Amino acid sequence: MASLLQGRLPINQDLLLMQKGTMMRKVRSKSWKKLRYFRLQDDGMTVWHARQAGGRAKPSFSISDVDTVREGHESELLRNLAEELPLEQGFTIVFHGRRSNLDLVANSVEEAQVWMQGLRLLVDFVTSMDQQERLDQWLSDWFQRGDKNQDGRMSFREVQRLLHLMNVEMDQEHAFQLFQTADASQSGTLEGEEFVNFYKSLTQRAEVQELFENFSSDGQKLTLLEFVDFLQEWQKEGERASDLALELIDRHEPSDSGKLRHVLSMDGFLSYLCSKDGDIFNPICLPIYQDMTQPLNHYYINSSHNTYLVGDQFCGQSSVEGYIRALKRGCRCVEVDIWDGPSGEPIVYHGHTLTSRIPFKDVVTAIAQYAFQTSDYPVILSLENHCSWEQQEVIAHHLTEILGEQLLSTTLDGQLPTQLPSPEELRGKILVKGKKLKTLEEDFEEEEEEPESELEGEQEAELELEAQFESEPQELSPRSKDKNEKKSKPILCPSLSALVVYLKAVSFYSFAHSREHYRFYEMSSFSEAKAKSLIKEAGNEFVQHNTWQLSRVYPSGLRTDSSNYNPQEFWNAGCQMVAMNMQTAGLEMDLCDGLFRQNAGCGYVLKPDFLRDAQSSFHPEKPISPFKAQVLLIKPSSSPSV
């Protein structure tokens, strides 16, 4: 099946060399490094690999799957092997979605450059494709994958196997009938275009066909007026439908005669529905369209749970890749679990489990590099600090030195705030959420008093914090439910405490206690079970609480498979940081991605006004007040007598 790229790509030396093939070392870990022969296929869209040149090859990846290509020094894995493998000869292929990266090391810097430059050229080409080209290329990729012997033909058995891989459900008898119909050459196999026709007929949506026929007078085409009716009635395009119809027909009707006659065929109708023009998402909401000058507590904030994990919660891999992927998809609150590590360097991992460990320094370095590539609105580091005094000082040092001016370590104007700052005011800033020794008010009072000796200050801080730990139960991390942990919790280091400004973590006792004792810059975290219980028992109080203070909700510790809850029920209560296991696909993450797709995917979405009103009467369990409910009277029409 010929690729769309054939005949359209410029003659490029890098691509020609890639099509000749290259022996490279595929690296999975320190102990798994094997030579493989990689070759760009003649279609220009798929890369295959074999154990050696001329050996039996199998598909490795499609260019459509590639997100970006990184140089060796940007790879977490290759950096760890720098003494063994030259970084300048390595590169990493990063894929869309949750597929693991592919780390490769060429035999020379020149070979590595050929592949990096060639892949980037192809990725740019794919990015420029329109919707129909992407669909056709997607089918071409699958055909290449299913055509095991690469003879350009597929038997029904091969097609069955391929459709299973594509997750296409089918009735065997019906599928075989469609296969025979598509086999125009009557060869018992399907060639490229025949396979495309077969796939389209197999996946034809009856409801779409019915919709088309409901508006079409002859069932074959939509006239201009019929298409206008559809745009007004179904797509709610309003008065602009008349002008829009002509534009859409010209853009999506594949037939030149159809364009001239201003009619839309079924193929053109499907092209429109599958395009950005037919997207249900309101294009007005794609750019930044909301007021970004309100306090942080007025926004939903795209938040991640256990961001360092790219697998399960018990023995999964910890990787800086988790932070890179989360930040690149618009996440604005990432979680960092920090523990004492060897050689005085803190490490990040899921405590008391078999998950792998990564240096805290590497995590901060990745955050500094990727924090604002997708969105320049503030990033929140949710610190789960389990470290000794000495390693807390190292944490504070790394945050300060690596993040530099990105790190917010004082109030914006140097004055005592009266409300949380806005996302707009915090553009380009990274905020630390965590425990803090004192209140902001006490910090400002100390600054006005005479400075004391450094030793006296540290001793006083120790005594004060010890008293705090004795009198106030500590908020335990989602993973650490051991009742004895709060007794052995180390004293908080003043230098780390000082980096917490607007996001001081405090324990939650009750909504009344919060109103009486807490300030707007203090926030609490809730397990999903606790949050659900509060919504059920005191939903309106929770809503009002979230109008003046931030709340973070995290998944149950029993979700060892990194599954997710439904975030909507917590958003309904106005909870701002509803943390998700972003490495796990599913309906729950689809909901999260859907909410944060708007507003340019910046990671901040303004809550509705009734969830920002401190006097709100809204209750998420009882969304409609019985006093506002209206009775709907239905009068049946009389049928004509027979």
Side-chain angles (χ1 to χ4, degrees):
M1 183 173 181
S3 165
L4 289 172
L5 293 181
Q6 290 181 329
R8 293 181 54 189
L9 274 175
I11 298 175
N12 181 279
Q13 188 63 30
D14 293 331
L15 299 185
L16 293 175
L17 290 172
M18 290 167 66
Q19 287 179 332
K20 287 183 178 180
T22 309
M23 287 296 294
M24 292 186 282
R25 197 173 298 276
K26 181 179 178 181
V27 183
R28 286 183 179 170
S29 65
K30 290 184 177 181
S31 59
W32 201 102
K33 302 178 287 290
K34 297 186 179 180
L35 283 172
R36 292 289 184 265
Y37 179 75
F38 286 88
R39 179 180 177 271
L40 175 67
Q41 298 298 98
D42 294 338
D43 65 0
M45 275 299 287
T46 52
V47 173
W48 288 50
H49 73 275
R51 292 181 181 272
Q52 57 189 12
R56 184 179 178 183
K58 59 181 180 179
S60 185
F61 62 88
S62 166
I63 301 300
S64 302
D65 297 333
V66 179
D67 177 43
T68 189
V69 181
R70 298 185 195 144
E71 297 182 3
H73 65 87
E74 297 179 279
S75 166
E76 176 185 5
L77 176 57
L78 296 182
R79 280 201 310 271
N80 291 335
L81 299 172
E83 294 182 2
E84 182 181 349
L85 300 170
L87 283 177
E88 64 273 12
Q89 293 173 208
F91 60 96
T92 301
I93 301 172
V94 182
F95 299 100
H96 294 295
R98 294 165 176 84
R99 179 175 173 178
S100 299
N101 296 348
L102 176 59
D103 289 283
L104 299 173
V105 179
N107 291 318
S108 68
V109 175
E110 291 73 23
E111 285 185 349
Q113 288 297 320
V114 163
W115 277 84
M116 284 192 287
Q117 291 166 179
L119 287 170
R120 286 166 178 163
L121 174 66
L122 293 173
V123 169
D124 288 342
F125 188 89
V126 169
T127 304
S128 67
M129 287 181 177
D130 62 28
Q131 187 71 20
Q132 187 59 48
E133 288 175 323
R134 287 173 186 268
L135 176 60
D136 290 344
Q137 188 57 58
W138 180 77
L139 287 173
S140 174
D141 292 344
W142 276 108
F143 185 88
Q144 292 282 346
R145 196 176 304 181
D147 186 13
K148 295 293 184 183
N149 60 1
Q150 291 296 284
D151 64 352
R153 298 173 178 273
M154 293 183 67
S155 66
F156 182 63
R157 189 169 182 177
E158 287 178 307
V159 168
Q160 285 178 298
R161 190 183 304 117
L162 179 60
L163 292 174
H164 178 71
L165 291 174
M166 296 171 75
N167 292 319
V168 176
E169 296 182 5
M170 58 179 173
D171 175 80
Q172 299 293 328
E173 185 175 340
H174 175 61
F176 185 65
Q177 290 175 352
L178 295 177
F179 179 92
Q180 291 180 310
T181 302
D183 182 17
S185 61
Q186 297 185 339
S187 63
T189 59
L190 298 184
E191 298 181 29
E193 288 304 314
E194 292 175 337
F195 172 76
V196 171
N197 293 332
F198 164 75
Y199 178 83
K200 288 181 177 178
S201 61
L202 182 66
T203 56
Q204 186 177 27
R205 298 282 292 271
E207 64 271 30
V208 175
Q209 183 70 37
E210 181 181 352
L211 180 64
F212 181 84
E213 292 175 354
N214 284 343
F215 282 88
S216 170
S217 56
D218 63 2
Q220 301 297 314
K221 65 182 180 303
L222 292 176
T223 65
L224 180 61
L225 291 178
E226 289 169 345
F227 190 38
V228 168
D229 288 343
F230 169 76
L231 293 175
Q232 288 178 332
E233 291 181 31
W234 277 79
Q235 305 298 77
K236 310 301 180 185
E237 294 290 359
E239 295 180 358
R240 63 190 292 261
S242 297
D243 295 331
L244 188 61
L246 277 172
E247 181 184 329
L248 293 174
I249 289 174
D250 188 59
R251 188 178 303 154
H252 296 287
E253 174 54 41
S255 162
D256 290 336
S257 62
K259 291 179 181 178
L260 287 173
R261 292 184 294 128
H262 302 318
V263 299
L264 195 66
S265 64
M266 183 62 187
D267 284 342
F269 185 63
L270 284 171
S271 173
Y272 158 69
L273 291 180
C274 293
S275 72
K276 291 182 179 179
D277 294 322
D279 196 334
I280 192 172
F281 194 88
N282 188 344
I284 295 174
C285 300
L286 283 173
I288 297 288
Y289 74 100
Q290 294 184 328
D291 177 8
M292 303 301 289
T293 63
Q294 299 195 31
L296 280 181
N297 49 291
H298 285 185
Y299 297 84
Y300 296 121
I301 303 173
N302 196 349
S303 302
S304 167
H305 175 61
N306 288 352
T307 316
Y308 47 88
L309 287 180
V310 291
D312 65 63
Q313 309 280 314
F314 185 70
C315 55
Q317 180 188 358
S318 300
S319 171
V320 297
E321 192 63 39
Y323 292 94
I324 295 171
R325 292 186 178 187
L327 292 168
K328 288 187 71 173
R329 69 189 296 169
C331 178
R332 297 290 87 187
C333 178
V334 297
E335 186 177 19
V336 192
D337 280 5
I338 323 170
W339 301 78
D340 280 356
S343 305
E345 282 291 335
I347 54 174
V348 174
Y349 83 109
H350 197 197
H352 308 304
T353 67
L354 301 178
T355 57
S356 58
R357 293 143 167 78
I358 48 177
F360 173 72
K361 186 176 183 179
D362 289 356
V363 169
V364 182
T365 300
I367 290 171
Q369 182 177 354
Y370 290 94
F372 304 110
Q373 284 195 4
T374 300
S375 167
D376 58 0
Y377 284 99
V379 168
I380 296 167
L381 305 186
S382 181
L383 299 188
E384 291 286 345
N385 172 24
H386 307 274
C387 292
S388 62
W389 178 294
E390 292 76 17
Q391 294 209 14
Q392 287 181 45
E393 290 184 323
V394 177
I395 293 172
H397 172 78
H398 287 332
L399 289 171
T400 304
E401 292 299 312
I402 297 173
L403 299 181
E405 293 185 357
Q406 292 179 325
L407 181 65
L408 185 82
S409 55
T410 62
T411 56
L412 287 174
D413 56 4
Q415 302 296 315
L416 186 65
T418 57
Q419 65 177 20
L420 288 174
S422 68
E424 188 66 35
E425 292 173 305
L426 293 168
R427 274 181 181 248
K429 290 297 181 183
I430 297 176
L431 288 69
V432 175
K433 167 196 164 288
K435 292 290 184 181
K436 187 174 178 64
L437 286 170
K438 299 178 181 179
T439 64
L440 280 179
E441 290 80 358
E442 289 169 332
D443 282 347
F444 275 88
E445 286 174 7
E446 277 193 359
E447 289 178 9
E448 295 173 0
E449 295 174 359
E450 279 290 319
E452 56 193 334
S453 73
E454 186 176 339
L455 180 60
E456 288 175 348
E458 286 191 3
Q459 289 174 337
E460 185 177 328
E462 280 192 43
L463 291 171
E464 183 172 323
L465 189 60
E466 284 175 353
Q468 178 186 338
F469 279 164
E470 288 174 5
S471 62
E472 180 179 314
Q474 295 305 296
E475 175 192 7
L476 301 183
S477 74
R479 279 73 54 194
S480 307
K481 297 303 181 185
D482 185 352
K483 294 180 180 179
N484 296 321
E485 182 181 332
K486 60 187 176 186
K487 295 180 181 177
S488 59
K489 197 121 176 177
I491 295 173
L492 186 62
C493 166
S495 60
L496 182 56
S497 168
L499 298 181
V500 177
V501 182
Y502 294 113
L503 302 169
K504 178 183 176 182
V506 294
S507 301
F508 177 81
Y509 300 98
S510 69
F511 294 122
H513 178 272
S514 295
R515 283 194 302 271
E516 184 176 350
H517 298 284
Y518 289 155
R519 297 160 179 82
F520 62 86
Y521 57 81
E522 295 173 315
M523 61 171 292
S524 302
S525 293
F526 305 86
S527 68
E528 62 173 291
K530 179 66 174 177
K532 284 182 179 180
S533 175
L534 289 171
I535 290 172
K536 188 173 183 178
E537 297 169 4
N540 179 244
E541 284 188 88
F542 209 171
V543 167
Q544 293 185 359
H545 173 86
N546 288 325
T547 65
W548 68 276
Q549 197 177 57
L550 287 164
S551 291
R552 180 177 181 272
V553 181
Y554 56 85
S556 165
L558 298 177
R559 294 183 181 273
T560 55
D561 59 350
S562 292
S563 60
N564 280 305
Y565 45 48
N566 180 354
Q568 189 63 56
E569 58 184 312
F570 306 117
W571 290 333
N572 289 348
C575 298
Q576 298 88 349
M577 302 179 189
V578 179
M580 306 289 287
N581 286 310
M582 292 194 165
Q583 72 272 35
T584 306
L587 174 61
E588 296 81 8
M589 270 311 303
D590 289 344
L591 287 171
C592 185
D593 290 340
L595 176 71
F596 290 107
R597 181 184 172 190
Q598 64 183 303
N599 222 25
C602 75
Y604 287 84
V605 171
L606 189 64
K607 296 195 294 184
D609 54 4
F610 63 87
L611 292 178
R612 291 181 273 127
D613 179 7
Q615 307 301 318
S616 176
S617 60
F618 178 74
H619 193 303
E621 292 283 298
K622 307 166 187 174
I624 300 177
S625 167
F627 302 106
K628 295 182 180 179
Q630 296 183 359
V631 177
L632 178 64
L633 297 176
I634 300 176
K635 181 180 179 182
S637 59
S638 57
S639 57
S641 56
V642 179

